[in-house]
Amino acid sequence: MQRRTVLRSAAALGLVALAPPLFAAAKLKPGANAALIVVDVQNCFIDGGTLPVKGGAEVVPVINKLSLAFQNIVVTQDWHTQGHASFASAHGGKKPFDSIKLNYGNQVLWPDHCVQGTEDAALHKDLQLPTTQLIIRKGYNKGVDSYSAFQEADRKTVTGLAGYLKARGIKTVYITGLATDFCVAWTALDARAAGFEAYVVEDATRAIDLNGSLAAAWKQMAAKGVKRIQSGDVEGA
């Protein structure tokens, strides 16, 4: 009763609204057992590229700043062959963003993008990630798409990333890049399936949001224990 009276008096004086929170939320501090995964920050996904993600270039300074907090960084690159099975141009009468059934399941068809060795497939020139130790190239098998940094879309062919991270003693991954609802989400879900703690840094990602795909991706990630954070939640970033 005494506490209630004190609070009522404080509220009357306007003090409760002005009082700072008793405990500030602790920031996350990535250590030697954490890795930053930078997904597909390539020219093809930036304005002017073949499959631009709205606001894609905006992630670059956020990721650069975030990288200062990490000893371990992995970068991924979409790396398609000419005539890749995920390209609408490889299927007569189909257009970008149609869906078809391939031998491993449903496939969204995309404009030709990130073709091996082209400037379109190059990493964005302003990325500054000096502690990067590994670049994973994915989607180079002509008949299979690959969104995740861990596993191709057939859900059988692995990239070797999980084994690499485990061999390095990595327990936690922080995922950034393009696009939130495709390659970032698939990477996060596969990270959890492989036993890693996984964070997606929301302001270091941008989405395509195709037919509600962004909301669906966040829902799937939350259901599997992926944590949604902002770059400001990371100490040293």
Side-chain angles (χ1 to χ4, degrees):
M1 288 296 294
Q2 218 171 8
R3 180 175 179 275
R4 195 175 300 155
T5 304
V6 170
L7 284 174
R8 260 198 225 106
S9 301
L13 293 170
L15 298 178
V16 171
L18 296 174
L22 291 177
F23 301 101
K27 288 201 173 190
L28 298 160
K29 187 173 183 179
N33 66 348
L36 179 68
I37 300 179
V38 180
V39 176
D40 298 358
V41 183
Q42 297 167 258
N43 293 333
C44 57
F45 299 121
I46 304 295
D47 287 340
T50 49
L51 186 53
V53 178
K54 186 177 180 182
E58 295 168 4
V59 306
V60 174
V62 182
I63 291 170
N64 286 345
K65 188 177 179 185
L66 196 60
S67 73
L68 301 175
F70 289 85
Q71 300 173 38
N72 307 295
I73 300 177
V74 174
V75 171
T76 76
Q77 245 180 319
D78 235 16
W79 200 247
H80 293 309
T81 59
Q82 294 279 0
H84 193 269
S86 69
F87 295 170
S89 62
H91 306 274
K94 296 295 182 181
K95 58 185 185 298
F97 309 111
D98 285 347
S99 291
I100 63 166
K101 182 87 78 173
L102 295 180
N103 59 10
Y104 54 83
N106 289 327
Q107 173 68 51
V108 175
L109 295 177
W110 306 106
D112 290 23
H113 67 283
C114 291
V115 173
Q116 297 171 3
T118 64
E119 185 62 21
D120 192 56
L123 296 170
H124 192 282
K125 64 180 177 57
D126 293 334
L127 276 177
Q128 296 174 18
L129 307 172
T131 56
T132 299
Q133 293 117 359
L134 180 70
I135 295 175
I136 291 278
R137 285 176 167 169
K138 58 190 182 63
Y140 55 79
N141 288 324
K142 189 171 185 176
V144 185
D145 206 2
S146 186
Y147 298 134
S148 171
F150 290 91
Q151 194 171 200
E152 295 189 0
D154 62 2
R155 316 312 290 152
K156 297 175 185 175
T157 307
V158 297
T159 65
L161 179 57
Y164 169 85
L165 293 174
K166 287 176 180 178
R168 297 287 304 276
I170 303 298
K171 307 287 187 188
T172 305
V173 293
Y174 293 73
I175 303 159
T176 64
L178 306 170
T180 320
D181 40 345
F182 285 91
C183 297
V184 168
W186 285 50
T187 295
L189 292 168
D190 282 352
R192 291 293 297 137
F196 298 99
E197 187 173 12
Y199 295 90
V200 169
V201 188
E202 184 176 15
D203 60 328
T205 72
R206 292 294 183 277
I208 295 173
D209 202 10
L210 183 64
N211 300 320
S213 57
L214 179 59
W218 281 121
K219 185 176 180 180
Q220 289 169 344
M221 288 190 281
K224 295 298 182 181
V226 176
K227 295 168 185 171
R228 182 177 182 174
I229 62 169
Q230 306 299 317
S231 60
D233 297 324
V234 179
E235 185 175 319

